[in-house]
Amino acid sequence: MKRFLRATVAPAIFLGLTVYFGYNAVNGSRGFIAQAREQAEIAKARTDLKTVTARRGRWEAKVAALKSNAIQADMLNQQARAVLNLANPADLVVPVKPGQAPGAESSAAAD
């Protein structure tokens, strides 16, 4: 019996250590599953970075257009009137009925 224990204790300990390290290699905090999860997070972060970088570029272009030497007076006037819903006294204004599409009068009159 003593001989049997000596023959099985050492392999059992090594088998236990192998199982322990094998389990941690797969499921541990630095294992294969955790590494795959971190790679997915990195890919998502890179995608978010591209989105934010593009958004920042658009904002930088808008800010650059607001600099005093870059503003075109006629474009500023047009945008201001569109936002404020105002018209220049020299502009020609054609009232359109709410449900009518522009240009529909000319096609209806032609029939």
Side-chain angles (χ1 to χ4, degrees), residues 11-93:
I13 290 173
F14 289 122
L15 179 63
L17 286 172
T18 303
V19 168
Y20 173 77
F21 286 116
Y23 177 81
N24 281 319
V26 175
N27 296 319
S29 64
R30 300 190 189 270
F32 296 125
I33 294 174
Q35 187 178 19
R37 206 174 313 125
E38 288 175 2
Q39 291 296 327
E41 287 178 20
I42 289 171
K44 184 182 180 307
R46 285 186 177 146
T47 304
D48 292 345
L49 176 65
K50 287 180 184 176
T51 303
V52 170
T53 303
R55 191 183 219 178
R56 180 180 176 176
R58 289 191 302 267
W59 276 107
E60 286 177 349
K62 285 182 180 182
V63 169
L66 292 176
K67 291 185 180 176
S68 62
N69 59 355
I71 295 178
Q72 297 175 359
D74 59 335
M75 293 297 289
L76 177 63
N77 188 16
Q78 179 186 359
Q79 287 293 324
R81 286 191 285 143
V83 169
L84 298 173
N85 198 21
L86 298 175
N88 189 349
D91 287 346
L92 176 65
V93 178

